[in-house]
Amino acid sequence: MRKLPMVLLATAALPMAVNAANTEFSFGGFIKMDAMLSTYSDGDIAPANIGRDFYVPSTIPVGGQDEGADLDYSAKSTRLNMKTVTTLEDGETVTGFIEMDFLSSPGGTEIVSNSYNPRLRHAFFKYDGLTAGQTWTTFMNTGALPETVDFLGPSESSVFVRQTQFRYTMGDFDLAIENPETTVDGAVSDDGMLPDFVARYNIKSGNSNFAVAALVRQLSYEDAVNNVDSTTAMGFGINVSGKIMIGGDDLKLSLTSGTGVGRYVGLGAVTDANLVNGDLKASKTTAAFIAYRHHWTSKLRSTAMYSMLTADYDSAAPTTSTTDISSVRVNLMYNPVEPITYGVEYSMATREIDNGANGDMSRLQVSAKYSF
């Protein structure tokens, strides 16, 4: 390799040296390849549908006449992130984090290039107990998510939202005001005047952890085009979740229950509210999962899990609203060396809507992942 002159090296490195004088940069992420064979009892999913990339409960076809099957290969869950830690004159630090992947993004097809646009996952900073930016909702306990080959796994019962927020942390207690967004009859209403309020208490005992979170939000809707006046309703929810160590194995669980919390659980499978005679009627949601992970050897492990969601609506709600979803899955994960993980997972899921129509999905998924 040809060496650059010292003067040129110094000149080229000077801007980075100045900018990074008190800031430490680190980069991470993973490269992940997925192969999925999916079968559906009551129809098929369109090629560009997000349900072809990972398990999205609301995309399971119901009430169809024919069975469908799809084989998909993808590397869209590949992830890149950058973390910065800036040390201030008083010794305090400011931490920044940015992360992106390529899921649910337009910009490509599987015909030739499989090119997909990056999407923002996280962009936030932390200083003196305050977190500001986009990251996981405070209503969510990431430590309770089970290990799966699928992007999320027990999607119907998981609290899973990333959004912009201000969060203040005091020891084990978190308080947050977060971006409001209401789903009404399956559509998005961006008319909220108040943020969503979240409080969470984190409990740690050895290697086990638990969290209790409460959510209070104002649901709102206005449609000037169709002459629907502004209307509001209140939403309330609670989530209890955690991880219990059993020797070298672990048991993970989550229970969510509330009114008007559909956007926060099940990847939006349940609408927050329905518009009935000009008034918002909040839906009721109960969702839970339990997952047990067993280590066969230091390099081989399995997780088995069960997940469910039920929803209740006003009697005048659309009959196409999802009322029940459940799934079971089991996997086998293998690390030949520390940064590489191979996985295989089989899952079965059932979805039912308010008029009684239902549909099943089964999926065999294989993945190869290199973390760095």
Side-chain angles (χ1 to χ4, degrees):
M1 179 184 298
R2 182 184 175 188
K3 295 183 178 180
L4 294 176
M6 186 59 67
V7 173
L8 182 57
L9 279 173
T11 302
L14 184 58
M16 177 62 75
V18 171
N19 293 334
N22 60 345
T23 301
E24 176 185 338
F25 293 82
S26 59
F27 300 86
F30 57 75
I31 297 170
K32 186 170 184 275
M33 180 267 184
D34 293 293
M36 293 172 284
L37 177 61
S38 308
T39 59
Y40 310 95
S41 64
D42 288 70
D44 204 356
I45 296 181
N49 192 292
I50 193 173
R52 298 279 290 265
D53 293 333
F54 57 93
Y55 174 48
V56 180
S58 60
T59 64
I60 298 176
V62 298
Q65 300 297 318
D66 301 313
E67 293 186 3
D70 299 303
L71 177 62
D72 294 292
Y73 282 61
S74 173
K76 287 190 277 185
S77 61
T78 294
R79 192 176 301 174
L80 298 170
N81 60 59
M82 180 182 71
K83 179 181 179 181
T84 64
V85 179
T86 301
T87 302
L88 307 177
E89 292 182 357
D90 59 3
E92 296 292 321
T93 59
V94 180
T95 301
F97 187 78
I98 299 176
E99 184 174 68
M100 65 181 69
D101 68 7
F102 307 88
L103 283 168
S104 66
S105 297
T109 69
E110 298 179 24
I111 299 173
V112 178
S113 67
N114 286 269
S115 303
Y116 295 95
N117 299 331
R119 65 165 187 166
L120 182 68
R121 285 173 52 85
H122 298 274
F124 64 89
F125 71 88
K126 294 182 178 182
Y127 171 67
D128 196 26
L130 177 69
T131 299
Q134 176 171 303
T135 189
W136 300 118
T137 174
T138 311
F139 194 52
M140 175 182 176
N141 177 15
T142 57
L145 293 177
E147 183 180 34
T148 59
V149 175
D150 182 79
F151 173 71
L152 179 56
S155 304
E156 58 271 284
S157 57
S158 297
V159 175
F160 193 89
V161 170
R162 287 186 302 270
Q163 61 190 5
T164 308
Q165 62 192 269
F166 289 103
R167 180 193 304 172
Y168 189 69
T169 301
M170 300 170 289
D172 294 325
F173 193 64
D174 295 309
L175 285 173
I177 51 175
E178 306 190 3
N179 181 61
E181 195 83 352
T182 303
T183 57
V184 179
D185 292 332
V188 175
S189 169
D190 193 18
D191 300 308
M193 294 294 294
L194 294 175
D196 290 356
F197 297 91
V198 187
R200 186 178 73 200
Y201 184 62
N202 307 293
I203 307 167
K204 294 182 179 179
S205 177
N207 292 327
S208 300
N209 73 80
F210 303 90
V212 179
L215 169 69
V216 180
R217 58 195 303 240
Q218 182 189 65
L219 311 177
S220 60
Y221 182 76
E222 181 179 3
D223 187 352
V225 175
N226 295 305
N227 261 342
V228 178
D229 294 332
S230 177
T231 179
T232 62
M234 294 303 295
F236 309 91
I238 187 168
N239 173 262
V240 180
S241 57
K243 178 182 75 171
I244 302 171
M245 296 302 300
I246 305 173
D249 299 341
D250 59 72
L251 181 71
K252 293 186 175 182
L253 45 86
S254 174
L255 172 64
T256 306
S257 183
T259 300
V261 298
R263 181 172 72 86
Y264 279 83
V265 64
L267 299 180
V270 178
T271 191
D272 288 327
N274 298 110
L275 192 64
V276 180
N277 297 322
D279 294 323
L280 282 183
K281 301 296 184 181
S283 59
K284 298 179 181 179
T285 305
T286 300
F289 72 73
I290 184 168
Y292 181 75
R293 182 171 64 171
H294 174 67
H295 291 263
W296 303 102
T297 69
S298 60
K299 297 184 177 182
L300 192 67
R301 59 198 179 276
S302 294
T303 300
M305 65 202 77
Y306 170 75
S307 176
M308 57 75 64
L309 175 148
T310 62
D312 293 316
Y313 307 88
D314 185 274
S315 59
T319 58
T320 55
S321 302
T322 297
T323 56
D324 295 277
I325 312 173
S326 63
S327 68
V328 294
R329 65 184 61 236
V330 62
N331 61 44
L332 185 66
M333 315 294 286
Y334 174 62
N335 292 102
V337 292
E338 185 174 348
I340 294 178
T341 304
Y342 299 119
V344 58
E345 183 170 276
Y346 181 72
S347 60
M348 296 184 297
T350 300
R351 174 181 172 231
E352 183 175 337
I353 61 177
D354 195 52
N355 64 10
N358 59 73
D360 300 328
M361 183 202 79
S362 63
R363 175 171 289 172
L364 178 65
Q365 183 170 352
V366 177
S367 71
K369 178 180 174 183
Y370 162 56
S371 301
F372 53 88

